[in-house]
Amino acid sequence: MKKAALVSIAAYAPQKILTNAELEKMVETSDEWIVKRTGIHSRHIAEDESLTSMALKAGKLALERSGLEKNEIDCLICATVTPDFFCMPSTAAQVASELGLGSIMAFDISAACSGFVYLLEVAKSLVESGAKKNVLIIGADKFSSIVDYSDRSICVLFGDGAGAGVVSVASSDNHIIATHCASDGSKGELLMTPKDGRNVGFVKMSGNEVFKIAVNTLTNDVVELLEKSGIASSQIDLFIPHQANLRIIKAVQERLGLSEAKCVVTVGEYGNTSAASIPMAMNTAYEDGRLKAGSLILLDAFGGGFTWGSALLRFGR
Ligand code: ACO
């Protein structure tokens, strides 16, 4: 049977940086509270940039890094919960067109912060079934468009960005070993964007409850995936979790018995960028040389829906 591999990774963060000091002037908060409770120092904000333009920049770089020609990409999928357009057109169709990929299959998925892991599972299935050869996947979110900047419990947490990769038919032992994606809609109201008539409201979260569920779900999920794959946590080269809160990341890392050096943390600089968070963290590790072809990596995500998922893979061609 064919195997699928994640052959490239890339990301884009908008230029404008919103620091904790700036937030102190906007709401009743402090740098000390934000850093202690979340580990976040700053977040990037797309002022005049659209979600599509961020997705386009990350997607273009992922395509270049894959070494493939435009006409070799036969599918583009974008994960986002903050698209520029309501319902249609999809971000994926817009990006495919702007990248000059021709009339390929292009569609969006909605899985909040678990978006990139969901994308990996969908792209893996498409490639392994033989339906597609090279799938460009993009996780992008512009939470600044749904964040209430007078709500201190939310505005300190989120940032904007995009991350992308290409999933292709594997040509070596480097491939996606296993993915697991799941959901529980019964807890949807704990993290949601309420809709009032025709208007979509600001994101609301019961942070404390989400925190506890996130830690337990994330830990159980990766432990199960490692067991099923017959891989010990000590074999992992890099653990790249969803970047929502440093305390959640540390709790899962410690329960897995992994050293700090093996855990990629970017939440301090970017905050929570939802579907972009995992690929942005992967890109940081790629650009600083920690993530190499053949690295065995474990991804772990949790987000609104609730949705969650994990993936185990050897990166690169
Ligand atoms: N500055 C100062 N004080 C604040 C702030 C702030 N920015 N925000 C809240 N507080 C106050 C609260 O009002 C509360 O005050 P009180 O005790 O007088 O009532 C106190 O701080 C404690 O608030 P908690 O909400 O209990 O703080 P907690 O330690 O739980 O941290 C946080 C909050 C950071 C949101 C945490 O709960 C968290 O990270 N939750 C999970 C987030 C997550 O993983 N989300 C899933 C992915 S996101 C997605 O899918 C889109």
Side-chain angles (χ1 to χ4, degrees):
M1 196 183 115
K2 279 193 194 82
K3 297 276 187 198
L6 179 66
V7 300
S8 72
I9 194 74
Y12 173 78
Q15 282 211 323
K16 157 92 184 143
I17 294 171
L18 179 62
T19 62
N20 291 351
E22 287 169 284
L23 282 166
E24 281 177 351
K25 294 181 198 139
M26 295 158 68
V27 287
E28 182 85 35
T29 191
S30 65
D31 174 59
E32 192 196 352
W33 189 97
I34 302 171
V35 173
K36 195 169 162 214
R37 300 288 179 123
T38 71
I40 300 171
H41 295 269
S42 62
R43 60 293 289 146
H44 291 236
I45 302 292
E47 281 181 308
D48 302 325
E49 263 178 290
S50 66
L51 184 278
T52 307
S53 102
M54 291 196 293
L56 181 66
K57 286 174 182 139
K60 188 167 183 286
L61 187 56
L63 175 59
E64 280 166 21
R65 287 180 176 172
S66 74
L68 294 164
E69 297 298 326
K70 286 181 181 182
N71 63 9
E72 292 177 279
I73 300 291
D74 49 8
C75 179
L76 192 160
I77 321 172
C78 184
T80 185
V81 288
T82 51
D84 293 328
F85 304 103
F86 180 60
C87 295
M88 58 188 166
S90 71
T91 305
Q94 294 293 295
V95 173
S97 201
E98 292 200 33
L99 274 179
L101 302 182
S103 52
I104 58 166
M105 179 165 91
F107 62 97
D108 290 356
I109 63 163
S110 166
C113 303
S114 312
F116 198 74
V117 174
Y118 268 59
L119 285 175
L120 275 175
E121 176 151 345
V122 175
K124 173 180 183 285
S125 309
L126 287 168
V127 166
E128 290 183 351
S129 70
K132 301 293 173 199
K133 287 194 175 67
N134 302 296
V135 183
L136 178 57
I137 54 174
I138 305 176
D141 266 310
K142 185 179 168 178
F143 258 62
S144 61
S145 65
I146 55 166
V147 161
D148 176 359
Y149 283 95
S150 65
D151 179 352
R152 70 175 182 175
S153 71
I154 292 289
C155 70
V156 302
L157 304 175
F158 294 97
D160 301 333
V166 172
V167 174
S168 298
V169 178
S171 52
S172 71
D173 279 348
N174 297 342
H175 64 265
I176 302 169
I177 298 160
T179 53
H180 174 250
C181 293
S183 70
D184 180 0
S186 72
K187 303 213 173 55
E189 81 284 354
L190 295 178
L191 174 48
M192 70 184 311
T193 42
K195 197 162 175 276
D196 175 16
R198 283 174 177 267
N199 301 315
V200 177
F202 292 123
V203 61
K204 298 271 175 237
M205 177 167 68
S206 308
N208 216 287
E209 284 170 81
V210 176
F211 186 95
K212 287 177 215 144
I213 300 170
V215 173
N216 283 328
T217 311
L218 284 164
T219 314
N220 296 342
D221 194 42
V222 281
V223 166
E224 211 178 300
L225 191 80
L226 288 172
E227 269 172 18
K228 273 192 189 155
S229 309
I231 289 186
S233 61
S234 56
Q235 291 173 264
I236 303 296
D237 293 315
L238 285 178
F239 175 50
I240 310 183
H242 171 47
Q243 308 284 318
N245 184 316
L246 187 60
R247 285 153 58 211
I248 300 180
I249 295 172
K250 292 273 167 231
V252 181
Q253 174 212 319
E254 279 164 20
R255 286 209 213 163
L256 283 174
L258 290 171
S259 67
E260 252 180 52
K262 285 189 172 185
C263 184
V264 178
V265 177
T266 55
V267 68
E269 179 181 355
Y270 297 122
N272 180 349
T273 57
S274 186
S277 118
I278 285 184
M280 286 176 86
M282 284 180 76
N283 182 64
T284 295
Y286 175 75
E287 291 188 349
D288 69 23
R290 276 178 294 168
L291 175 61
K292 304 178 186 75
S295 296
L296 181 61
I297 61 174
L298 179 64
L299 311 180
D300 199 12
F302 182 87
F306 287 154
T307 56
W308 63 94
S310 49
L312 187 62
L313 60 101
R314 278 200 190 278
F315 177 71
R317 281 204 187 282

